[in-house]
Amino acid sequence: MRAPALPAILLLGLLAAAPAALAVNPDEMLPDPAQEARARALGQGLRCLVCQNESIDESEADIARDLRQIVREQIRAGQSDQQIERFLVDRYGDYVLLKPPFKPATLVLWLGPPLLLLVGAATAALFYRRRRGAPAPAEAPLSAEEQRRLERVLKEKGE
């Protein structure tokens, strides 16, 4: 390995090992470290409604900032984690949770991807089974005219 590449590899390794940057601004943080830790833990389980696959703790979207403020206000008001989650679910639906509960309304979220995977695998298996098991198309015999033309071409090539 060349020596100049080593620092770059080490830097990339450090960056990969570093914790994900969080979007929580210092002015949003609660003064009590225990309350702030609760807010962060709750924020990691709540979905940014704009970013969809980011928690509100990671997102820099305005709605995520608003949700972080709501969580912190609820914590300051003495609400439990369950009460805060219930408040947000009542307001935004189960979609606000990064891990929605398993219930009839969310069955599609939980069972949809595995079912689609199974249907795709079954379709691929049937396709390849039919393709492999199908006999090769039989060659049709030459018509009399085609046979005469073939003999004529072969005679010309032989001369």
Side-chain angles (χ1 to χ4, degrees), residues 31-159:
D32 180 9
Q35 287 182 335
E36 180 60 26
R38 269 186 64 206
R40 290 288 179 100
L42 276 168
Q44 286 295 317
L46 298 170
R47 179 188 318 272
C48 173
L49 301 172
V50 175
C51 306
Q52 298 179 3
N53 281 332
E54 282 186 332
S55 71
I56 64 169
D57 214 34
E58 300 164 333
S59 174
E60 294 185 21
D62 290 338
I63 186 75
R65 187 176 324 109
D66 294 343
L67 289 171
R68 287 192 300 265
Q69 289 174 350
I70 290 171
V71 167
R72 283 166 174 76
E73 287 170 8
Q74 296 279 322
I75 288 174
R76 273 191 295 250
Q79 300 292 321
S80 71
D81 293 356
Q82 292 78 19
Q83 289 172 320
I84 296 169
E85 278 189 8
R86 176 63 20 217
F87 173 80
L88 292 170
V89 167
D90 289 345
R91 190 178 244 190
Y92 300 104
D94 286 324
Y95 184 72
V96 77
L97 301 173
L98 278 172
K99 293 181 182 172
F102 190 79
K103 60 184 187 180
T106 60
L107 283 179
V108 172
L109 294 173
W110 285 100
L111 300 179
L115 286 176
L116 284 174
L117 185 64
L118 287 174
V119 167
T123 302
L126 285 173
F127 173 77
Y128 286 114
R129 181 177 294 165
R130 287 182 184 164
R131 190 172 179 196
R132 191 174 357 133
E139 294 182 17
L142 296 176
S143 67
E145 175 61 29
E146 292 170 331
Q147 186 66 38
R148 282 192 297 269
R149 284 180 42 210
L150 177 62
E151 289 172 2
R152 200 172 338 133
V153 169
L154 290 174
K155 281 183 184 176
E156 290 174 4
K157 292 278 186 186
E159 295 179 337

Side-chain angles (χ1 to χ4, degrees), residues 4-15:
L6 185 61
I9 291 172
L10 289 174
L11 179 62
L12 286 174
L14 287 173
L15 289 175

